[in-house]
Amino acid sequence: MYDIIVIGAGPAGASAALFAAKAGKKTLVIDSDQSITKRAWVENHYGVLEITGPELVEIGKKQAAKFGAELVQGKAGQITKGTEGFSVATEAGSYEGKHIILATGLMTDLAEQTGLKTKPGTEPRIKTVFDVTSEGKTSVEGIWAAGTAAGVSVHTIITAGDGAKVAINIISELNGERYVDHDMMKQS
């Protein structure tokens, strides 16, 4: 049983997984390798002069893995509610988790079969997004959404920040107190 299963490893998903794993939560990322960031050239991501989308996605996955997030290749086909959380089915198998973060970019196809409310997107060319609270909660308790799929701007810096925000909200809920992650430079 994972604490958090993240569906999607673009900037929102990988950022969420990074924060979750670094906080010591058992974290799984299921990635279908269809991130729209894979087609991007990025010059407006704070702290990065310029980078290709594929490089940004790979670095994000490596950062999450560095802190113990497990990554599996596959497409989430179905999410079902269980007694203590959810089961996420892929072609390769099924995974159990207490919380789910949907960081699926342009794809909201899991909404209908999972009973999640959606709403029209406001970004250009984004037709439908998950209907979420400011914390990232969907209409189903325990399922959250982050990034473009949650209606925020498609810019990588914004979706990455949204993924981190949603993960921090889940970590705080799991811990029973507000979670903060601040590293300090080592003093010499």
Side-chain angles (χ1 to χ4, degrees), residues 32-151:
S32 66
D33 201 32
Q34 295 177 307
S35 172
I36 58 170
T37 304
K38 293 259 192 134
R39 298 190 305 265
W41 172 254
V42 182
E43 291 186 44
N44 58 358
H45 195 102
Y46 174 79
V48 179
L49 288 176
E50 58 187 36
I51 192 167
T52 68
E55 288 175 299
L56 187 64
V57 169
E58 278 310 304
I59 290 169
K61 291 196 286 194
K62 284 179 184 169
Q63 285 178 297
K66 171 185 171 185
F67 292 105
E70 295 175 45
L71 284 88
V72 296
Q73 184 74 36
K75 183 166 174 51
Q78 187 168 11
I79 301 171
T80 47
K81 183 128 177 70
T83 53
E84 292 184 36
F86 299 90
S87 178
V88 180
T90 70
E91 316 86 43
S94 190
Y95 305 93
E96 310 290 318
K98 294 177 190 163
H99 292 268
I100 306 293
I101 300 176
L102 300 169
T104 53
L106 300 174
M107 291 168 277
T108 55
D109 51 341
L110 288 168
E112 193 173 320
Q113 60 91 4
T114 310
L116 299 172
K117 289 183 184 158
T118 60
K119 63 184 182 182
T122 56
E123 289 284 297
R125 296 179 298 283
I126 309 298
K127 290 182 176 41
T128 306
V129 296
F130 296 110
D131 190 359
V132 298
T133 66
S134 60
E135 294 85 16
K137 293 180 177 190
T138 69
S139 57
V140 174
E141 185 70 28
I143 300 181
W144 308 64
T148 302

